[in-house]
Amino acid sequence: SVFNTYKYNSGTQLVNLGSQYLLELDPNTTPTFTESFINTSNYTLIKDTKYNLVNIYTVHDSYGNLNEVTDKAGITSVQLWGYDYRFPLLQITNCTYSQVISALGANAALLMSPQVSDNDVRSIVSSLRVSLPESQIKMFTMNPAFGVTSQVDLNGTVIYYLYDDLNRLKLI
């Protein structure tokens, strides 16, 4: 069983995922369970102690897209959305959203724009790999009309996706 918490962002008027807990029961014992509830005197969540934290979702953009998550081991990952905030562009592990935005500088706006080119993305990612040497970066380029055009894995291996005239995947 999974238990999610949510938080309201008054600036964007969106409800975003806040954290995620997983119910972990010992198969060797008879399970007991305490119902979760909100303490109305101070509005805190009271939950069964068998719910263990899995992820904390800390940063969302103004469209509600997830930008930063920290897992139960304390490893933070960033996801940046490009092509006018409609598609995932970069997945970066072992850094924070603020570190990525700082390293991108003026290139952050270019990455998010609807007209960003594949070559722009590759060039920006190359500089990010230098600026954030401890991080692992996975990159996607897209054609919003029909899908992924390339993917670069954590080792820098590029996979290209080619489409026919009817925008059907033809070759990987």
Side-chain angles (χ1 to χ4, degrees):
S1 175
V2 174
F3 185 95
N4 295 320
T5 64
Y6 296 86
K7 54 188 172 182
Y8 176 70
N9 181 328
S10 59
T12 62
Q13 298 185 349
L14 296 172
V15 176
N16 297 318
L17 189 58
S19 54
Q20 185 177 56
Y21 297 84
L22 179 64
L23 181 63
E24 296 177 3
L25 299 175
D26 183 353
N28 299 319
T29 63
T30 303
T32 59
F33 184 75
T34 304
E35 285 188 32
S36 302
F37 64 94
I38 301 290
N39 181 338
T40 55
S41 66
N42 60 5
Y43 299 102
T44 57
L45 172 67
I46 308 298
K47 61 182 175 21
D48 191 287
T49 58
K50 294 176 197 73
Y51 276 108
N52 294 312
L53 182 66
V54 178
N55 293 311
I56 301 172
Y57 304 96
T58 50
V59 179
H60 295 79
D61 65 23
S62 59
Y63 295 92
N65 297 320
L66 177 64
N67 288 126
E68 183 180 282
V69 60
T70 302
D71 68 15
K72 66 182 176 182
I75 298 171
T76 301
S77 298
V78 173
Q79 184 159 316
L80 292 184
W81 296 74
Y83 306 98
D84 207 22
Y85 299 89
R86 295 185 304 149
F87 300 99
L89 189 62
L90 301 176
Q91 293 175 342
I92 308 167
T93 305
N94 204 27
C95 65
T96 65
Y97 180 74
S98 60
Q99 288 172 316
V100 172
I101 294 303
S102 177
L104 284 171
N107 286 326
L110 176 61
L111 272 181
M112 309 312 164
S113 77
Q115 287 83 22
V116 65
S117 73
D118 290 4
N119 288 334
D120 289 337
V121 175
R122 286 189 188 89
S123 173
I124 291 168
V125 167
S126 292
S127 66
L128 265 183
R129 289 185 194 277
V130 173
S131 300
L132 303 169
E134 300 298 317
S135 298
Q136 298 175 322
I137 302 173
K138 188 173 184 179
M139 176 192 88
F140 303 90
T141 59
M142 304 282 292
N143 180 323
F146 52 83
V148 178
T149 55
S150 71
Q151 174 182 331
V152 180
D153 68 14
L154 301 176
N155 299 318
T157 304
V158 181
I159 300 170
Y160 292 99
Y161 299 84
L162 301 175
Y163 297 84
D164 66 15
D165 293 336
L166 298 174
N167 296 334
R168 298 176 299 194
L169 184 61
K170 179 170 72 172
L171 184 65
I172 298 177

